[in-house]
Every structure is written in C-alpha cells, then in structure tokens.
Amino acid sequence: MKHPDNKFPEANIHWREGLPVSREFDDVYFSRASGIAETRYVFLQQNRLPERWLENSRETFTIGETGFGTGLNFLTAASLWLQHRSGNTLHFVSAEKFPLSKADLEQSLQLWPELAELGDELLDQYPHAIAGVHRLKLAGGSVLLTLLYGDAAEMFSSLKGSDHPMFSRIGNPVIDAWFLDGFAPAKNPQMWTGELFQAIADLSDSGTTFSTFTAAGVVRRGMLAAGFATRKVEGFGDKREMLCGEMTEAPQKVVDQSQLQPATFNASHQPPWYLLCQPAKPDAAIVIGGGIAGCATARALAERGIRVTLIERHKDLAQEGSGNPQGILYPKLSHKSSPLARFGLAALSNAIRFHRQHLNACGLLVLAEPGSNPDKFSKITQSHPESLVKLIGGETLQVIAGLELACEEALYFPELGWINPADVCESLVSHPAISLLRAEVASIRQNRLRHWHALDAMESVIASAEVMVIACATNTARFSQTAHLPLKAIRGQISTVPETTASSRLKTVICGEGYLAPAVNGHHTLGATYDLNNTDTGLREEDHHSNLRQLAATDPELGEIFSGIDTGRISGRAAVRCTTPDYLPIAGPAPVLESYLEDYALLKKNARSHIPLLGRHWQGLYLNCGHGSRGMSYAPLCAELVASQICAEVPPMELDLRKVIHPGRFIIRDLKRNKI
C-alpha cells in the first residue's frame, strides 16, 4: 500500500484493432464482441441489478470492484443506476494497481458514445497517478466513485475499521455487490489471493452478492472460504462458464469475549483505540463553526440527506482563519513517504476536485527556501506525477511567472492557484438541508437520550441533534469534552498591497519564504507572519514590513517590485490559525479522556502492550479542526471522512491515515511516553 514514492505506475498498454491491450498481462480489457453487453450480463444481471435496487429502499447502494481498468463497468452500472434510482446514491469502490493514463482512458471512452455524459465527468475529475484513495462525485452527487490506487487486497483491507485480527469485522463498511474483474487468474495470479478473498469477506454481509467473468478454481475456492455460496452459470460470448454467488449468512460482527486474553506486553497489534462502532445514520446534526472546516462538514452531511444546523458566532461566514481574501492551495510535498506527506498529498489531490468551481487555476510556483537541499526539487518531481508538478527553469520559468525572477528553477503546479474562501463557504452552505444560526456556543451537553445540545452562556439550548461536529478551531478547547486536545494558536497577518506596473505582470501564485498572489481589483495578497501562542488580531505595521522581507527572501526580484512602497498604503488582516504538535489535523470521533486513561493505562509500562479493548468515544460527537495554514486543502477531505464515519460508509482514506489524524492519538502518544 505504501509506495517508495508517491508516483504510481500507470498501465502500459498498446492498441490492437482499436482495443486497449495490457502489456503487463498480455490481455484485453474487455470483450471484443461487445464490452457493454459483457458488463451487463456478467456483472449487472448476475448480481440481480437493477431488480435489487428497486426492491431495496436504502439510500445508498455500494459496489466493490477489483480492476477499474477503462471504467466500463463503472460507467455502465452508474448509467443504469441513474435510470432507476437517480434520487439516491450509488457508491462504486474500485481498486486498480495500474491505472490508465488520462490519454488512454479518453481514447477508450470514445468507444462508447452512449456513456459520454458520465464519461466526460470521469475524465474531468480523473485523479493523478498517486497511490491511495481518490473520491469523485458525479451526476450531481447521485454517483460516488472511490478509486483505490494500489494492490486490491491491501487497499480493500485498508477500508476496514481495524487491522486487529480480533476486530476484523467490527466497524467495517459493507459492500452490497462485488464485481470481481481484472485480468484472468492465469495471467494475474498476484491479485487473486487469499488476502483478497478475506478482505472481501470482511467487507461483506448477509445478502452481499458477487459475480466474475471467470470460473477458475482458485476463485471458486477463495469465495467459498470467504463465506459465499457459489454457482456456475453460462459465460458470456466464447466463455463457457462464469461464477456468481451470495453470502447467505455472514459471521457475527461482535467480538467473542471468551477469546479475549488478558493484556500482554510486546504485542504485534496495537489496541484498537481508534475503532468506531457507529449507530444508525442520524436524521439531524449540529456543526459548530462557519469557516471552511464547518461549512465543508455541513455540506458533506447535507448531501447525505442529514438536516444540518450550522452555528456561527459571527455575522458572516469565514471571519477567522478562513477569512483571507485569497486562499492559496499550498502544496507541501516531500520525496519521502511520511504520514504527513501522504496525508498532505491526498488532501491536495482531493482539494483540486473539491474547489474546481471556485479555483482560479492560474498555476503556482514554489521557489527554493534559503539553505534548502539543492537536490530536493529534483527528488520531488521524480517521485510525483508530471501532470501534478514539474521542475522548470530558464525562460520557461519567466514566461510562466510573467515577470523576471532571480531564481533559476522552481516547482510548477499548473492546476493550483487561489480561491476566495468566503465565496466557497457561502456556496457550501447554500443547500436546502442546511440552516444557519448565528450564536455563541458556550458549552455542549449530551442528554439521557444521547442527543447533543449546544448551549449559550445562560445554558439555554441553541440547537439539539443526535450528532454534533465541532469545527471551530482553537475554540474547540472551550468545551469540557475536548479541552484535553493539544491545540496551538498561531497568529498570522497578511498584507494587501497595491499593484505596481511591475507586479501587474504576475501571472501565477509564487510561494517560498513567503507568498504572493496575482492582483485582484488592483491589490496583491502577500504573507504571512507566524506567531506561536499569540491570539492578538490587531494589525501591526511591523508585520507588514516582515511580510515584505519574507517576499524579498523568497526572491530578490519580488522584493524589488514593492521597494519604497508607503506602508501607509498597505492594509491587511490578522487571524489565528489552529494547529497541532504534529502539524496534522484532528478529524474523527471525540475520545472520552478518562476512559482512554483507564483502558490503556498499561501503555505507560510498555508501549507495545496488547490491550484488546475498543476506544470509548463520546457517542455522536466528532471533530474537524487543527488545519493550520492549510485549511483550504485539509478541511474538505477531513469533512468527507467525518461524514463517512457518521454514516458508516466507505472512508475516503486508508486506515493508517485515519489513525494519524484521529483525535485520540495524543492521549495514546502521551500514555506511551508516560507523560499523562
């Protein structure tokens, strides 16, 4: 699952008689006779679709697929879904170890003009070849596509609630139907493994069905071992037989208490402190905070049919950390595969799709900071897709920037740029299921019915709901349930500078020691200062000077274009960022501090203690905060995660990434260090 770099190998194909053929597996992607007809027969008919869609009143139907390939199965299923259940949601989850290049995908889709409308949406959002999870929304949100770039067994296993063997079926999302595609077992034996069949079993429930084009014994035995009743039916075209079947009685989703052993030391598995057992999807939710984190969370919940009350203490949205006039989608890439780098890349990739309607994609240049490793940029471009970032220099750099720069090379991100955060927030809350309340939440309380109340300073109830999401940055610490979180306040001031003749030629966002955005309405945004544990939001003239010095440190030529400017003509704003000790955000269920301390106390004696206990969380209470200066990139992905957890859906990121942003991680860390 974890690649040595972030760039993922694309499919190596050639075209034979107008059809794509894999060089790795020497096999075609779909039937020469009729690809659509094969999909309809093998996968739709044998899984009894759309009959099950019409019989089932559930709002979401989830399909799992091994081998996305050209997307034919997805597009065919989604097209049929829209004909029968367009008011609900189809969630299609597909693993692909060798994704097609965008050019090859586009050429493939030309073979099926009847699928062109959905195909164009797929092409428009098709992710870069980056290992991990990518979520796309099509057909106005009626169709979700979650692409898993990686080994099928590893990627499907990463969707589970826990990697602890005693809890292998606890807290897992459920796949309703499996499309077992991909190249034939004889040509691709490394996919059809026991690990894959076990992952399929763990993500299935009674009534889950499967079908596959093959009748190979390894597949039949694997699915039988996974708990599926299987049968052979007539194959498609020149294939004599194929397999299909159903899980008639799934294993219980409970832990056998008789199998639990006393806590031991030096265990190979960590206690499942992060595991969430979520009750039924709620009808209503409260979100506290009207910045990008709160607005994105409210929208994610509303799109799932949940009534949301969004509470913001200011008159307008996006008045604090999200209030700058130009929000930069700032990339912080690394050639190393650390959790911080992997999460940042996943969030950035998601943000490009999330903000595409509001993004001014003028491009973004990252210049080397003083004293940085001279090989750093080269290593970054070698470990990321060229479609995302490339190393440029010389005349190309000057042309893209629009003005002369002293630096000789830079990283160029053609898809990035800036957005207006306030516009984004206003657009996000423009949904019939979202009600906006302007009030100050002083405290929160859970009643005996497990509903959450937001209370004002007089302890009067502002709003009540089964679920509450706290997304109010450093103000999260004011609530007793979340006061233990190690949130850090960092003051930042931006400067708004009138454009000059020279600066007006700037075409892209430039980042380095500081950042500078192209002028809007005759003014540039540049910044920003970074003052730890300072919550003063008054403007300071010395900070404007600091921002100008940062700009000159980014590139001497940039410093020259504003030299001699009257600081009296500079305006700006200051706000407080909310960050964490590890610079990763906080997203997920809120832990009960006292219960964590009691249940996992043995970690103080041995950090590898085996404690087979689930983490105890406040039922229905979630967090989305701690995004620092990268809220525009981080918050949307965290909002999607929290919404998927509340609704017990397939998550938008792998388990190891969900752990590193889990709100309980700080308690576990401090227990292991014996600091709490």
Side-chain angles (χ1 to χ4, degrees):
M1 182 168 59
K2 302 178 187 65
H3 257 241
D5 57 37
N6 299 297
K7 184 162 58 178
F8 207 67
E10 292 184 330
N12 182 5
I13 73 170
H14 65 98
W15 292 82
R16 181 192 303 161
E17 299 177 358
L19 298 178
V21 180
S22 168
R23 295 185 190 274
E24 284 97 350
F25 303 104
D26 188 29
D27 204 355
V28 295
Y29 277 85
F30 45 81
S31 167
R32 288 185 176 84
S34 173
I36 292 180
E38 180 180 34
T39 292
R40 287 172 176 162
Y41 176 77
V42 173
F43 296 114
L44 304 185
Q45 182 176 329
Q46 305 309 323
N47 277 289
R48 294 185 285 108
L49 311 179
E51 294 93 333
R52 288 168 65 196
W53 297 341
L54 297 175
E55 295 168 359
N56 196 323
S57 61
R58 285 187 301 135
E59 295 177 356
T60 301
F61 190 92
T62 306
I63 294 174
E65 179 189 49
T66 57
F68 184 74
T70 62
L72 176 58
N73 294 340
F74 162 68
L75 292 171
T76 305
S79 179
L80 190 64
W81 172 267
L82 293 175
Q83 295 175 32
H84 294 274
R85 293 288 297 274
S86 59
N88 299 97
T89 303
L90 175 69
H91 195 164
F92 197 97
V93 186
S94 184
E96 179 55 69
K97 194 171 184 177
F98 300 99
L100 265 66
S101 69
K102 190 169 185 177
D104 285 331
L105 178 64
E106 184 174 15
Q107 186 171 346
S108 299
L109 295 181
Q110 291 174 1
L111 298 171
W112 312 300
E114 59 268 53
L115 302 175
E117 186 173 353
L118 278 171
D120 288 345
E121 283 197 72
L122 172 60
L123 276 172
D124 181 52
Q125 299 184 51
Y126 194 60
H128 297 286
I130 297 170
V133 182
H134 305 270
R135 178 157 296 173
L136 288 61
K137 297 181 181 181
L138 297 87
S142 293
V143 175
L144 297 181
L145 171 61
T146 297
L147 286 172
L148 313 174
Y149 281 178
D151 174 80
E154 291 183 354
M155 293 308 297
F156 279 115
S157 293
S158 78
L159 302 181
K160 294 166 52 176
S162 171
D163 54 7
H164 194 296
M166 290 185 180
F167 301 84
S168 61
R169 290 184 56 80
I170 307 298
N172 295 346
V174 173
I175 304 295
D176 297 300
W178 289 95
F179 293 4
L180 302 188
D181 205 357
F183 299 108
K187 294 181 180 287
N188 186 21
Q190 57 266 43
M191 187 189 84
W192 305 89
T193 64
E195 291 77 12
L196 173 63
F197 297 125
Q198 184 60 55
I200 289 172
D202 291 338
L203 295 173
S204 300
D205 206 346
S206 299
T208 295
T209 62
F210 86 93
S211 65
T212 178
F213 63 92
T214 182
V218 65
V219 180
R220 183 180 62 83
R221 292 189 295 272
M223 293 305 286
L224 284 170
F228 286 81
T230 67
R231 68 182 191 278
K232 292 182 179 179
V233 297
E234 182 180 352
F236 179 82
D238 58 0
K239 290 186 174 69
R240 187 165 61 91
E241 294 176 319
M242 60 164 282
L243 290 172
C244 59
E246 181 174 346
M247 180 173 278
T248 54
E249 188 174 351
Q252 287 189 336
K253 291 190 176 185
V254 295
V255 176
D256 185 351
Q257 296 295 323
S258 66
Q259 297 297 314
L260 296 182
Q261 301 173 355
T264 57
F265 294 149
N266 300 322
S268 57
H269 293 279
Q270 288 289 301
W273 52 268
Y274 49 84
L275 182 54
L276 175 67
C277 295
Q278 175 61 39
K281 173 182 171 182
D283 294 322
I286 296 168
V287 177
I288 303 175
I292 183 62
C295 292
T297 302
R299 183 58 177 251
L301 293 171
E303 289 179 346
R304 287 162 168 82
I306 298 172
R307 291 181 287 105
V308 180
T309 300
L310 176 63
I311 306 176
E312 166 56 41
R313 64 177 180 164
H314 294 291
K315 178 183 177 182
D316 298 312
L317 299 172
Q319 292 301 295
E320 298 194 24
S322 301
N324 290 343
Q326 290 177 290
I328 311 301
L329 289 188
Y330 183 77
K332 189 73 171 178
L333 301 188
S334 171
H335 62 279
K336 299 178 181 178
S337 188
S338 67
L340 178 59
R342 287 180 54 229
F343 175 82
L345 183 58
L348 181 67
S349 178
N350 177 77
I352 292 171
R353 293 187 295 273
F354 184 87
H355 292 298
R356 64 185 183 278
Q357 293 181 345
H358 293 90
L359 178 62
N360 186 319
C362 57
L364 184 145
L365 293 169
V366 176
L367 312 187
E369 296 183 15
S372 62
N373 186 333
D375 297 328
K376 178 181 177 181
F377 280 4
S378 178
K379 291 179 179 179
I380 286 175
T381 54
Q382 290 171 12
S383 58
H384 292 83
E386 186 179 5
S387 55
L388 174 67
V389 58
K390 58 188 72 174
L391 186 62
I392 63 171
E395 184 179 352
T396 301
L397 172 56
Q398 313 302 327
V399 170
I400 288 175
L403 43 72
E404 293 292 322
L405 295 173
C407 71
E408 297 180 354
E409 62 180 19
L411 293 177
Y412 177 51
F413 296 80
E415 291 183 320
L416 300 187
W418 63 272
I419 56 178
N420 184 311
D423 288 349
V424 171
C425 289
E426 290 288 350
S427 176
L428 288 172
V429 303
S430 180
H431 190 284
I434 299 176
S435 299
L436 180 58
L437 284 182
R438 288 172 173 83
E440 180 92 26
V441 180
S443 62
I444 62 174
R445 184 172 62 216
Q446 191 178 38
N447 67 13
R448 282 180 287 182
L449 297 177
R450 298 293 180 93
H451 282 213
W452 285 96
H453 297 323
L455 308 173
D456 64 17
M458 303 300 293
E459 295 200 346
S460 297
V461 176
I462 301 169
S464 299
E466 304 122 281
V467 163
M468 176 180 287
V469 183
I470 303 173
C472 53
T474 54
N475 284 322
T476 301
R478 71 166 56 183
F479 307 123
S480 61
Q481 296 85 347
T482 51
H484 60 87
L485 294 170
L487 300 175
K488 298 194 296 183
I490 300 178
R491 180 187 186 276
Q493 180 173 313
I494 62 163
S495 300
T496 305
V497 185
E499 68 178 340
T500 65
T501 301
S503 72
S504 65
R505 295 194 293 267
L506 179 64
K507 295 179 181 178
T508 67
V509 176
I510 295 181
C511 299
E513 187 75 11
Y515 71 83
L516 174 67
V520 176
N521 298 324
H523 288 80
H524 295 277
T525 299
L526 61 94
T529 60
Y530 200 85
D531 298 325
L532 183 62
N533 294 324
N534 189 329
T535 58
D536 177 27
T537 56
L539 283 179
R540 301 174 178 173
E541 185 173 349
E542 61 266 30
D543 282 3
H544 289 320
H545 287 292
S546 176
N547 284 333
L548 289 170
R549 288 194 298 270
Q550 278 193 136
L551 188 62
T554 297
D555 189 280
E557 292 293 334
L558 294 178
E560 286 297 318
I561 63 177
F562 297 117
S563 63
I565 190 169
D566 179 7
T567 55
R569 299 178 60 204
I570 300 178
S571 60
R573 70 183 300 271
V576 176
R577 311 178 187 96
C578 174
T579 189
T580 66
D582 57 14
Y583 297 101
L584 281 161
I586 294 174
V592 180
L593 174 62
E594 294 77 11
S595 298
Y596 264 54
L597 296 179
E598 176 185 345
D599 293 342
Y600 305 123
L602 277 178
L603 292 175
K604 299 173 71 172
K605 295 183 178 180
N606 188 311
R608 296 179 61 198
S609 295
H610 178 227
I611 307 169
L613 294 173
L614 282 71
R616 285 190 273 176
H617 303 93
W618 291 100
Q619 183 176 314
L621 184 63
Y622 295 81
L623 297 159
N624 184 3
C625 60
H627 302 290
S629 58
R630 293 185 173 81
M632 292 299 146
S633 294
Y634 287 2
L637 182 58
C638 291
E640 185 68 14
L641 171 64
V642 169
S644 72
Q645 291 173 330
I646 290 171
C647 298
E649 298 173 350
V650 171
M653 65 185 76
E654 303 97 307
L655 177 59
D656 65 330
L657 290 185
R658 302 198 304 272
K659 288 182 186 179
V660 300
I661 64 173
H662 190 287
R665 69 187 187 270
F666 303 107
I667 308 173
I668 298 299
R669 177 201 63 182
D670 288 347
L671 282 169
K672 290 180 177 181
R673 296 175 180 177
N674 205 13
K675 294 175 66 175
I676 192 171

